[in-house]
Amino acid sequence: FSENQYLMPVLYAMSKKICAAQNIALRNGQCLKLYEGFRPFKTQTSICKALGDLMDSNDEVNSYINNYPWGKGWFISTGISNHQRGCAIDVSLVNISSAEFKSCGNYSYLQVTGYEEFEMPTQMHELSSLAVAFAFPVDSKSKTDWESSTLSDSMNDAAITLQKYCTSSGLTPLASEWWHFNDLDARESVGQNSSKGDFFITESYSRIPD
């Protein structure tokens, strides 16, 4: 794009669903704000250990995480998660205040130049029961169980709108985090060949298209 870019890799099949959700948001003067896609397993285990240490040393933190029916495993996976598999994103929603059309090769795209992030139920990556999207746990491997679930009391209009954009594009919400969405179809498509996240991405080979 002839300028610095922040890359958040996901499986190609998932990228098309993210694009679909983004197009819906743009039609309403809004935009997805991606915080995280692929996450190395080493980073995952570091977060898991740090959160465990904090829970051991802080009773208040522990009470918000081990808050029935929720527990630590709902807020940070102790094993390989969909972030390592490349089929999960952490995302929020913003209201566009300014934007401009730009070109890259023979392609044109809308670049958001100004925005205000909506107030969400919690800050991004609030790993506690304050951030849950549904009132009770939902099978994270089911594509449909969430549809009959009750939203948590903390979900506000902006978080519900974000969920509608993502789910209408084929993504599945995670019950314990209002910002986390999975692509279970993409996960199934790679079968036993999914990533274990045992690497870091250090450079990009993208170039301006002809």
Side-chain angles (χ1 to χ4, degrees), residues 57-102:
S57 63
N58 190 311
D59 290 340
E60 183 178 10
V61 170
N62 185 69
S63 68
Y64 278 105
I65 295 174
N66 283 325
N67 186 6
Y68 181 82
W70 308 100
K72 179 185 175 185
W74 276 103
F75 305 111
I76 186 68
S77 175
T78 57
I80 296 171
S81 77
N82 284 338
H83 279 292
Q84 283 81 68
R85 297 183 178 97
C87 56
I89 55 168
D90 293 342
V91 59
S92 189
L93 187 67
V94 306
N95 194 50
I96 299 172
S97 57
S98 61
E100 61 182 277
F101 280 99
K102 302 187 72 173

Side-chain angles (χ1 to χ4, degrees), residues 50-207:
L51 185 61
D53 291 344
L54 184 59
M55 292 171 64
D56 290 341
S57 63
N58 190 311
D59 290 340
E60 183 178 10
V61 170
N62 185 69
S63 68
Y64 278 105
I65 295 174
N66 283 325
N67 186 6
Y68 181 82
W70 308 100
K72 179 185 175 185
W74 276 103
F75 305 111
I76 186 68
S77 175
T78 57
I80 296 171
S81 77
N82 284 338
H83 279 292
Q84 283 81 68
R85 297 183 178 97
C87 56
I89 55 168
D90 293 342
V91 59
S92 189
L93 187 67
V94 306
N95 194 50
I96 299 172
S97 57
S98 61
E100 61 182 277
F101 280 99
K102 302 187 72 173
S103 62
C104 179
N106 294 323
Y107 299 88
S108 63
Y109 63 96
L110 183 70
Q111 183 177 59
V112 175
T113 55
Y115 66 84
E116 294 181 358
E117 189 161 356
F118 287 101
E119 182 177 350
M120 290 300 193
T122 66
Q123 292 184 341
M124 176 63 62
H125 294 145
E126 163 71 41
L127 302 181
S128 80
S129 56
L130 297 175
V132 299
F134 296 106
F136 297 97
V138 179
D139 183 0
S140 60
K141 295 181 180 179
S142 170
K143 300 176 188 177
T144 58
D145 281 4
W146 66 271
E147 295 175 353
S148 58
S149 298
T150 302
L151 292 172
S152 71
D153 292 338
S154 62
M155 286 287 279
N156 60 13
D157 289 344
I160 293 170
T161 298
L162 171 65
Q163 188 179 103
K164 288 180 178 177
Y165 290 161
C166 291
T167 56
S168 64
S169 301
L171 300 176
T172 304
L174 182 66
S176 54
E177 299 172 354
W178 60 260
W179 59 78
H180 181 116
F181 295 87
N182 296 314
D183 186 348
L184 298 181
D185 292 322
R187 174 173 171 168
E188 289 177 1
S189 70
V190 297
Q192 299 300 314
N193 297 315
S194 65
S195 165
K196 296 180 175 59
D198 52 352
F199 58 89
F200 288 88
I201 298 172
T202 58
E203 58 184 309
S204 170
Y205 293 98
S206 297
R207 62 182 178 83

Side-chain angles (χ1 to χ4, degrees), residues 5-59:
Q5 299 286 321
Y6 292 96
L7 303 181
M8 296 188 185
V10 294
L11 293 174
Y12 181 64
M14 185 179 193
S15 70
K16 292 188 283 187
K17 293 183 180 180
I18 298 171
C19 182
Q22 169 72 335
N23 284 334
I24 299 172
L26 290 175
R27 288 198 292 270
N28 291 290
Q30 299 168 351
C31 178
L32 302 183
K33 182 176 181 180
L34 297 177
Y35 277 86
E36 192 170 17
F38 170 77
R39 179 191 300 153
F41 184 64
K42 186 175 181 180
T43 302
Q44 179 91 13
T45 54
S46 296
I47 297 170
C48 189
K49 182 181 184 306
L51 185 61
D53 291 344
L54 184 59
M55 292 171 64
D56 290 341
S57 63
N58 190 311
D59 290 340

